[in-house]
Amino acid sequence: MDIAVLSGKGGTGKTLLSVNLAAAAEKSVYIDCDVEEPNGYLFFKPENIETEKVSVKIPYVNKELCDGCRKCVDFCKFNALALVGKYPFVFEEICHSCGGCVIVCPQGAMSEKDKVIGEIQKGRSENVEVVTGMLNTGEASGIPIIKKILPEKNNKKDVLNVIDCPPGSACIVMESIKDADYCILVAEPTIFGTHNLKMVYDLVKLFDKPYGVVLNKCLEGENPSEKFCMENSIKILGKIPFDSEIGEINSNAEILVREDDKYKKLFANLLETVIGEVQNETIANS
Ligand code: SF4
Ligand code: SF4
């Protein structure tokens, strides 16, 4: 079962929820797709880490064949090529590795080389296999890393795959959720929180994904995100209280469910609710 956890912005509690759901499951794979700022591994402190580099294809010019026609420069919609003197210069940091310039070059002067953009780390933390994507600073897109880490999911029925998505609703998030069985949207109890919730709500509807909301940092009194859910008949899966103990354990990069039985119960209940939702969805679609 593949559960994706999303939020419209960073700091909402997406990683807190992802890490604790994975830890609450009997067997799970935690996949950190927040490749620009992965931090789930700081909680899990995985052991026996294996590392694999991730590369993309970048064009380079054979000056002996190039006649300076600039067809490649005009083709590149990312402005990653510019004619400098007679020959094209490749701005590698903004090249999106589409390969188009290689195809359009009439002289066969463009070839491709590998460029490392980041890495994948795999390790184990008790019941959780931890897979982390890490994008090098300054790279154009983390999507090639997402494409490489998602196949690390375990497709056995008794294993829960938790996908910790990047924040926001851009194409890197779309890539992260596209094969998920269910999406959990994490929301804060503020006007800004509701605004960000709407972004990911629109995204999961666009992808026709089953979804529910977890309200984080809940206090007594009005919760604009809860109101939004009620007005739009969105299932609220559970609430995580605004609690200084949670803040302290989380800030120390400890896992709540491994520290205190009351949190173990909180996230186990949440997980049970999510699994129930996925099963209901499966029955409804069969
Ligand atoms: S591979 Fe695509 S993005 Fe990169 S320089 Fe060529 S045309 Fe531009
Ligand atoms: S299209 Fe080919 S021949 Fe023309 S400038 Fe680019 S590399 Fe040179």
Side-chain angles (χ1 to χ4, degrees):
M1 183 182 296
D2 303 348
I3 308 292
V5 183
L6 304 84
S7 63
K9 71 170 185 65
T12 306
K14 180 175 55 59
T15 296
L16 172 118
L17 181 65
S18 306
V19 163
N20 281 283
L21 284 181
E26 236 168 78
K27 286 186 212 164
S28 63
V29 183
Y30 166 82
I31 303 174
D32 200 343
C33 287
D34 190 358
V35 296
E36 288 184 30
E37 294 179 75
N39 52 14
Y41 72 98
L42 297 174
F43 293 90
F44 284 115
K45 303 164 190 67
E47 293 175 342
N48 304 321
I49 290 179
E50 290 170 22
T51 302
E52 190 188 337
K53 299 282 179 209
V54 180
S55 302
V56 293
K57 297 286 183 196
I58 293 288
Y60 69 93
V61 185
N62 182 338
K63 290 181 179 171
E64 285 181 10
L65 297 176
C66 175
D67 63 5
C69 72
R70 73 168 289 135
K71 282 194 173 139
C72 56
V73 177
D74 294 337
F75 175 84
C76 183
K77 298 295 174 275
F78 298 100
N79 296 319
L81 295 171
L83 219 56
V84 177
K86 195 183 161 195
Y87 305 109
F89 179 83
V90 183
F91 295 95
E92 294 189 357
E93 287 73 23
I94 52 174
C95 169
H96 279 57
S97 305
C98 73
C101 53
V102 178
I103 295 168
V104 300
C105 174
Q107 305 300 329
M110 279 281 190
S111 302
E112 288 176 309
K113 62 179 181 181
D114 286 330
K115 181 194 174 204
V116 174
I117 60 160
E119 65 182 36
I120 295 172
Q121 288 187 359
K122 287 187 269 183
R124 179 156 279 281
S125 168
E126 299 180 22
N127 54 325
V128 186
E129 197 184 327
V130 181
V131 185
T132 305
M134 296 177 167
L135 181 69
N136 290 345
T137 304
E139 291 301 337
S141 170
I143 288 179
I145 297 183
I146 308 272
K147 283 184 190 290
K148 196 115 182 170
I149 49 174
L150 285 178
E152 298 292 337
K153 288 182 302 189
N154 187 324
N155 292 325
K156 284 188 189 151
K157 274 199 169 152
D158 61 341
V159 179
L160 175 77
N161 296 298
V162 180
I163 302 161
D164 188 354
C165 297
S169 53
C171 50
I172 193 164
V173 183
M174 298 180 197
E175 190 65 36
S176 305
I177 68 166
K178 70 176 194 221
D179 295 322
D181 297 310
Y182 193 82
C183 293
I184 303 177
L185 318 180
V186 188
E188 286 178 340
T190 62
I191 301 288
F192 291 115
T194 310
H195 170 75
N196 292 307
L197 171 60
K198 280 181 192 161
M199 289 162 57
V200 282
Y201 168 63
D202 287 342
L203 183 70
V204 292
K205 281 201 304 176
L206 189 71
F207 272 66
D208 201 19
K209 291 284 176 192
Y211 59 90
V213 168
V214 169
L215 298 167
N216 191 22
K217 304 179 191 175
C218 289
L219 288 160
E220 292 294 316
E222 194 171 322
N223 183 332
S225 296
E226 184 171 19
K227 193 166 166 240
F228 175 78
C229 292
M230 312 272 263
E231 285 167 357
N232 291 279
S233 307
I234 300 169
K235 169 89 180 169
I236 295 174
L237 302 162
K239 295 181 182 182
I240 302 172
F242 187 78
D243 178 314
S244 60
E245 194 185 358
I246 292 182
E248 198 176 326
I249 295 173
N250 203 45
S251 309
N252 288 330
E254 302 294 347
I255 298 172
L256 294 165
V257 305
R258 291 184 182 168
E259 293 298 309
D260 193 318
D261 278 351
K262 69 173 182 275
Y263 297 127
K264 193 172 180 178
K265 202 169 161 201
L266 173 77
F267 286 95
N269 286 343
L270 200 46
L271 184 56
E272 205 176 298
T273 306
V274 173
I275 291 171
E277 286 294 303
V278 177
Q279 286 167 345
N280 290 343
E281 194 66 33
T282 311
I283 294 164
N285 291 332
S286 61

